[in-house]
Amino acid sequence: MNTPTDNTPQPEPRPRKRPRGGGGENASGKGAQNARELAHWNHSRVPSASELLAIGELFQGMTPHRMKLHQLALLREHVLAYRIRCGHPEIDAFMDAIFLIDFNLECYFKVHDARAGRYLHPLSRSSGKVTPFELSTQLAWQCSVAPDVLLDEAPVMHAAGFFYASGHFWCAHPVEVAKRGTPRVLLHEVRQARRRMLRADLDFLARQAPQEGRLLRALLLGATAGDGVDGEQFARLLTVLHLWSERITYPWGTQVIDLKN
């Protein structure tokens, strides 16, 4: 996980002149808040859950579950600049494209209280808080270096691990929970959400890099007869995804209702 290299508190910049007109203390207070936010972002890479919470006012007043646009813009800038890359240009471009959508970005940065689940994830032991982005970054790395993954399959598995739980994160967004009226969600809704988030960009990737794109699309959305994916390779890599993702996605998976069971 990317963390700030220097946690030394920075002084707030002194205003060059007092604001004119009406505003008074409110304007001054808002300027100080903006300065604190800017200082925080200047010393962060991709922020952790605790760092996000330290920023303060992240969310819009009228729509409390949506991030402020200027905060989203800063967050996106840091994600695109500092996220760990897989080394495959087309796959990296695909991953960047997903985060150009505001809602997708929010889904990966809704802070989760890991203490409420069955497991306390190692990444959250200091604060009890974690983001989907942090867990997905870890899962992406684990999948890419797993013993059953070949070297030329590592970039595909990096992206597969990163987005494997994207449907869970989408359905756990407070806006989606409010629509359903319950945190509980059907398994087919999770799969639909993953498809909604990824399908268009996966199709584009499959045209740009057919072999890797079709394999990644099959791993994330399911294999079909016309995909041209090797069956043995698909089964082997999907098994790796299932095995490594189980612990990380557990806090979200407990809310999923599988009608087959």
Side-chain angles (χ1 to χ4, degrees):
M1 175 181 61
N2 294 317
T3 56
T5 56
D6 182 4
N7 291 323
T8 304
Q10 300 296 310
E12 296 174 12
R14 185 183 301 276
R16 295 183 179 178
K17 56 184 178 181
R18 296 180 63 84
R20 297 180 179 178
E25 293 183 2
N26 288 338
S28 177
K30 186 170 181 58
Q33 172 67 26
N34 290 341
R36 283 193 294 271
E37 291 178 0
L38 187 58
H40 173 90
W41 283 108
N42 285 342
H43 290 83
S44 296
R45 290 196 171 218
V46 179
S48 66
S50 58
E51 290 164 347
L52 273 180
L53 293 173
I55 294 175
E57 295 297 324
L58 275 174
F59 299 96
Q60 301 176 32
M62 298 300 293
T63 52
H65 299 311
R66 298 303 306 270
M67 284 188 183
K68 292 179 178 178
L69 294 180
H70 77 279
Q71 297 284 19
L72 268 173
L74 288 168
L75 180 59
R76 178 178 292 110
E77 179 182 328
H78 282 246
V79 167
L80 297 184
Y82 298 118
R83 73 166 181 81
I84 297 173
R85 298 188 168 265
C86 72
H88 187 293
E90 287 81 9
I91 295 177
D92 276 324
F94 155 74
M95 296 181 69
D96 286 345
I98 298 301
F99 291 118
L100 296 180
I101 306 299
D102 289 351
F103 193 78
N104 295 349
L105 187 61
E106 285 186 16
C107 288
Y108 271 78
F109 285 91
K110 298 301 292 186
V111 176
H112 176 73
D113 187 350
R115 293 170 298 187
R118 180 176 172 184
Y119 303 113
L120 181 60
H121 194 276
L123 288 176
S124 65
R125 281 176 183 158
S126 61
S127 66
K129 309 291 185 181
V130 71
T131 64
F133 188 92
E134 293 175 276
L135 298 184
S136 296
T137 297
Q138 184 188 48
L139 179 57
W141 175 79
Q142 290 174 325
C143 288
S144 68
V145 300
D148 290 332
V149 175
L150 303 179
L151 185 60
D152 62 349
E153 296 168 340
V156 170
M157 289 300 287
H158 176 98
F162 196 90
F163 291 113
Y164 191 66
S166 59
H168 292 81
F169 305 148
W170 178 296
C171 291
H173 192 291
V175 169
E176 293 298 309
V177 173
K179 287 179 183 178
R180 296 192 306 272
T182 174
R184 304 287 281 172
V185 61
L186 298 175
L187 181 58
H188 79 86
E189 293 177 301
V190 173
R191 291 170 175 163
Q192 287 174 352
R194 181 165 56 188
R195 180 173 294 271
R196 193 178 304 128
M197 181 185 289
L198 305 176
R199 181 58 190 260
D201 290 297
L202 280 171
D203 287 347
F204 182 78
L205 175 62
R207 294 192 293 272
Q208 298 298 306
Q211 182 175 353
E212 296 89 347
R214 290 171 183 170
L215 178 58
L216 182 59
R217 183 173 59 188
L219 290 169
L220 291 172
L221 303 184
T224 61
D227 276 340
V229 175
D230 179 83
E232 182 279 328
Q233 181 187 38
F234 171 73
R236 172 171 50 84
L237 296 181
L238 188 62
T239 299
V240 172
L241 271 178
H242 280 305
L243 290 176
W244 281 106
S245 68
E246 185 176 12
R247 294 179 185 177
I248 288 181
T249 58
Y250 180 87
W252 290 268
T254 55
Q255 301 298 325
V256 176
I257 304 169
D258 187 352
L259 294 181
K260 294 179 181 179
N261 297 326

